[in-house]
Amino acid sequence: MFSYRHAFHAGNHADVLKHTVLIAALEHLLEKDTALTVVDTHAGAGLYRLDGDYAGTSGEAAEGVLRLVSETQPQPDAAPLADALARYLAVVRDFNPKGGARIYPGSPFIVQHLLRDHDKLKLFELHPTDSRTLSANIAQLEAGRRIVVLHEDGFGSATKFLPPPSRRALVLCDPSYEIKSDYGRVLDFVAEALKRFATGTYAIWHPIIPRPESHDLPRRLKTLATKAGKPWLHATLTVKSSKILTDATGATHRPGLPASGMFLINPPFTLKAQLEAALPQMAKRLAQDRHAAFSLDHGG
């Protein structure tokens, strides 16, 4: 269960989608003065070196954030970058003041970068190495009690912070899904969280892969939200085909992660319009073959 390391995947197309949605949702929630609590159930290490051994081994960032950062300025008659995608790139650039994208901020540091002094951040990470790295990275911020790092299972422990005293919270749930049971645990976690705090905003990242559980998850999340009488929004980004390829020698090659989605319950009302503008640009700029696409559904 500890084989997954997000450092291999940092800055890939799934991170572009996840963090664009996260920033757009968070910035809307921060427009109110009342304190906000953010809970991250699978926080990872927090910061990643895209020029390091892990990211360099996979090369996934080259087809994700690095492609966006390295793009030349568009022609004068080209459509301007969508606000949500522009804000995402601005946050990444804030961590790279000398240019480029050598450092990639994971969700904990993106959230911390945007939060105010009276907001709270609760970070869960069970992987022993990543938990130690996360703690060390957060310690450098000298944030005191505003940020708490817990070496615990976010599925089993994160709901203890719901509802927060201010009754305003954003919960991000993005496990690796390497273990098939993660799909069921996501559903159980969201169901329990909604019982405890029905008005919180819940953002669930999920992979889109040829596995029944993968396709069932968003459908079952819609059912949960509908039964609870809550609005929902589901955004997906596909960058390539999911089919296994065979080369001239007869060897087969798995394509890697072809697509992913972000499912939100109680999304900010501004998010749909922002993603309607941003998703087509993501699909076009991050396309790896002719199968690149996007979708945006909502209900409630």
Side-chain angles (χ1 to χ4, degrees):
M1 66 181 297
F2 293 137
S3 63
Y4 178 85
R5 304 293 299 280
H6 191 68
F8 287 105
H9 312 286
N12 68 358
H13 61 87
D15 268 359
V16 174
L17 173 65
K18 175 172 62 178
H19 292 148
T20 297
V21 173
L22 176 64
I23 291 167
L26 185 58
E27 290 192 327
H28 176 81
L29 293 172
L30 292 174
E31 290 179 0
K32 287 189 177 180
D33 291 336
T34 309
L36 180 72
T37 294
V38 178
V39 179
D40 191 339
T41 64
H42 296 77
L47 285 172
Y48 305 95
R49 288 283 299 268
L50 295 186
D51 59 352
D53 292 340
Y54 291 116
T57 297
S58 71
E60 292 182 19
E63 300 290 350
V65 65
L66 293 179
R67 185 187 289 190
L68 297 178
V69 169
S70 64
E71 279 188 345
T72 57
Q73 292 296 318
Q75 298 300 314
D77 59 346
L81 203 61
D83 288 344
L85 197 52
R87 280 295 300 133
Y88 162 73
L89 289 175
V91 170
V92 173
R93 290 188 176 110
D94 285 344
F95 286 85
N96 295 274
K98 295 182 180 180
R102 185 173 63 89
I103 301 296
Y104 189 80
S107 301
F109 272 75
I110 287 175
V111 173
Q112 181 278 330
H113 185 66
L114 298 175
L115 289 187
R116 306 156 301 184
D117 289 344
H118 62 297
D119 298 319
K120 306 292 185 182
L121 177 56
K122 313 296 185 184
L123 303 172
F124 290 83
E125 179 51 53
L126 191 58
H127 191 289
T129 303
D130 282 353
S131 181
R132 288 192 297 270
T133 303
L134 177 64
S135 295
N137 286 334
I138 293 296
Q140 297 181 45
L141 299 174
E142 298 182 349
R145 298 170 63 184
R146 288 192 304 113
I147 305 178
V148 177
V149 178
L150 301 103
H151 181 205
E152 300 175 14
D153 181 1
F155 281 138
S157 302
T159 54
K160 68 185 177 184
F161 291 112
L162 301 177
S166 66
R167 302 199 69 83
R168 299 188 68 239
L170 168 64
V171 180
L172 174 65
C173 183
D174 61 336
S176 69
Y177 298 94
E178 281 208 329
I179 307 171
K180 187 185 297 187
S181 60
D182 277 358
Y183 294 92
R185 297 193 76 193
V186 166
L187 291 164
D188 291 342
F189 172 80
V190 173
E192 176 63 22
L194 281 171
K195 287 180 183 178
R196 288 173 175 257
F197 186 43
T199 57
T201 295
Y202 299 93
I204 301 97
W205 176 85
H206 65 95
I208 300 175
I209 55 177
R211 170 179 274 185
E213 296 85 359
S214 172
H215 294 283
D216 285 346
L217 180 60
R219 177 182 58 80
R220 296 179 70 182
L221 286 169
K222 289 177 191 177
T223 300
L224 270 178
T226 301
K227 286 184 176 180
K230 301 300 178 184
W232 57 267
L233 181 148
H234 185 216
T236 72
L237 174 66
T238 300
V239 298
K240 59 185 175 181
S241 171
S242 62
K243 293 182 179 179
I244 298 176
L245 304 176
T246 303
D247 63 23
T249 67
T252 58
H253 302 275
R254 293 188 177 276
L257 181 67
S260 66
M262 283 290 283
F263 192 99
L264 289 93
I265 298 175
N266 295 324
F269 74 92
T270 54
L271 188 58
K272 177 176 175 287
Q274 287 182 293
L275 293 181
E276 284 176 336
L279 284 169
Q281 293 185 349
M282 281 190 217
K284 181 178 180 180
R285 293 168 184 244
L286 299 180
Q288 296 183 31
D289 64 25
R290 62 184 178 85
H291 297 280
F294 68 92
S295 69
L296 183 62
D297 300 315
H298 65 100

